[in-house]
Amino acid sequence: MTSTPNNPSANPAGPFVQSDWASVPDVHRFGHQAMATTFEIVVQHEDRVYARQAADAAFDELDRIERELSRYIENSDVARINSLPAGKPLLLGLDTFECLSLCAGVSADTEGAFDVTVGLLLDCWRDADKKPRTPSQEELAFAREHTGMSLLRLDESRYTVELVSSPVRVDLGGVGKGYGVDRMGASLRDWSIERALIHGGFSSVLALETPRGAVGWPVTLSDPNREREPRTLARLNLTNTAVSGSGVRKGDHIIDPRIARPIEGKIAAWSITPDAATGDALSTAFMVMTVDEVRDYCARHKGVAGLLIMPKDGASDGPVAIGPWREGELLY
């Protein structure tokens, strides 16, 4: 079963990553709704029934992850963190603890550009209908006091989290899809499915082993600001690699936790990384960081690459490619 990619001109500012499954022989495609988007698994396998069973198991794993990580699901780990009083340890599930530990690492590596405690700040800058608003100075000051990864104390020996002050509003929207994609990949491998591509809403993509008859899983990155004249920026063939994209859609905010304000100066950012969870976090961080900061990060982390689109006079300027891109991948 094959499919063709969505038309990028039909959805400005997304999808950030696309793939043409039609160029890969003998694939089966399966979809599932979760985390407010469509996740898909594209499998190359001789037995469609077995591939379907493996995909269903991976989607079950995704649903389990969402029940732990979503701030909008009552009694999820994250919902319990967000109602936790200060100084009281809370036992977490392994996945929630692992995800928060990864977030803490990325936050430290990006000097606070990525921060999952920005929930109160996000709520300051948007109303109940998620439309942009401007908070009062009092609201903003309170949110800033209750934002920062240093407010979470993670105890690896007991898999607990403790809040230094309360309330803290954790929001894993910047990493949850990538983490779910990684766990789905692990589930497929448990079923001995090695040749597969997984994506969550075309913003977090993970390629497993190279499919037969191809040089890798074909993926393209397209300028999300070119509504009338679509432009492909890069064409990749992925193996055991993740690509994630973030950008500013109309009415949306990406918050710079370092200054507690919506970002300015970037339209979109992509990261190429070994795993999807780190990539998901980094594509958000790259939207916040300066070009020099992204360059420094990629220089310090082997195998990590970035692609940034900067605004110029209301239109996208030339993309900025950072890190180890291979010859022929960039098309501009």
Side-chain angles (χ1 to χ4, degrees):
M1 181 176 183
T2 61
S3 73
T4 54
N6 293 338
N7 180 356
S9 65
N11 184 18
F16 293 102
V17 183
Q18 300 178 73
S19 184
D20 183 2
W21 327 127
S23 63
V24 180
D26 305 321
V27 298
H28 313 288
R29 177 184 173 191
F30 310 101
H32 182 74
Q33 294 293 314
M35 298 185 184
T37 193
T38 300
F39 283 73
E40 287 191 308
I41 297 174
V42 183
V43 177
Q44 187 184 63
H45 196 272
E46 61 275 9
D47 187 340
R48 177 176 171 79
V49 173
Y50 186 82
R52 169 85 261 184
Q53 292 172 332
D56 284 344
F59 290 138
D60 287 344
E61 176 73 351
L62 175 64
D63 289 340
R64 185 186 66 78
I65 295 295
E66 183 177 18
R67 288 193 295 270
E68 285 196 24
L69 301 187
S70 175
R71 68 183 263 196
Y72 301 106
I73 295 179
E74 187 178 2
N75 293 324
S76 72
D77 277 358
V78 171
R80 291 190 297 141
I81 292 171
N82 290 343
S83 61
L84 189 66
K88 182 178 179 180
L90 174 67
L91 181 65
L92 300 174
L94 177 60
D95 288 291
T96 307
F97 190 90
E98 184 177 88
C99 192
L100 286 174
S101 296
L102 181 147
C103 292
V106 174
S107 181
D109 277 351
T110 60
E111 298 184 351
F114 180 76
D115 193 325
V116 295
T117 69
V118 295
L120 287 174
L121 284 174
L122 283 170
D123 291 345
C124 273
W125 289 98
R126 63 190 183 191
D127 61 23
D129 295 326
K130 299 187 182 299
K131 296 179 180 178
R133 64 181 289 268
T134 300
S136 68
Q137 290 301 311
E138 292 76 13
E139 286 179 288
L140 200 55
F142 180 84
R144 293 192 74 165
E145 289 176 7
H146 296 271
T147 298
M149 291 299 295
S150 62
L151 300 178
L152 302 182
R153 289 178 178 166
L154 297 170
D155 186 339
E156 190 173 359
S157 66
R158 297 187 297 165
Y159 291 95
T160 61
V161 63
E162 183 179 328
L163 302 185
V164 174
S165 65
S166 182
V168 172
R169 191 75 51 80
V170 172
D171 188 325
L172 297 179
V175 70
K177 289 178 186 175
Y179 187 84
V181 165
D182 283 335
R183 296 306 306 154
M184 291 166 69
S187 176
L188 290 178
R189 285 190 165 114
D190 287 343
W191 281 72
S192 299
I193 297 287
E194 297 292 339
R195 297 181 176 91
L197 185 78
I198 309 161
H199 79 79
F202 287 100
S203 62
S204 296
V205 176
L206 176 67
L208 302 187
E209 295 294 335
T210 299
R212 292 184 301 272
V215 295
W217 288 97
V219 165
T220 59
L221 310 184
S222 298
D223 188 339
N225 201 48
R226 290 292 188 93
E227 180 177 357
R228 294 184 179 179
E229 298 178 5
R231 176 174 64 158
T232 298
L233 302 174
R235 194 176 302 279
L236 311 174
N237 289 288
L238 303 180
T239 299
N240 294 318
T241 305
V243 178
S244 296
S246 294
V248 179
R249 294 175 172 88
K250 185 176 180 181
D252 280 359
H253 280 321
I254 294 177
I255 300 295
D256 183 341
R258 303 174 296 184
I259 60 173
R261 298 184 64 83
I263 63 160
E264 297 178 354
K266 287 200 192 74
I267 294 170
W270 292 266
S271 65
I272 300 177
T273 53
D275 66 281
T278 300
D280 205 357
L282 283 181
S283 67
T284 302
F286 287 176
M287 288 290 294
V288 172
M289 298 160 71
T290 67
V291 173
D292 286 342
E293 287 173 334
V294 175
R295 217 172 252 124
D296 178 67
Y297 183 95
C298 292
R300 290 185 289 110
H301 295 80
K302 183 178 180 181
V304 175
L307 184 64
L308 314 176
I309 297 183
M310 319 298 288
K312 181 179 180 180
D313 298 327
S316 63
D317 195 8
V320 179
I322 299 169
W325 292 84
R326 290 193 288 263
E327 183 177 356
E329 290 181 330
L330 299 169
L331 303 179
Y332 56 89

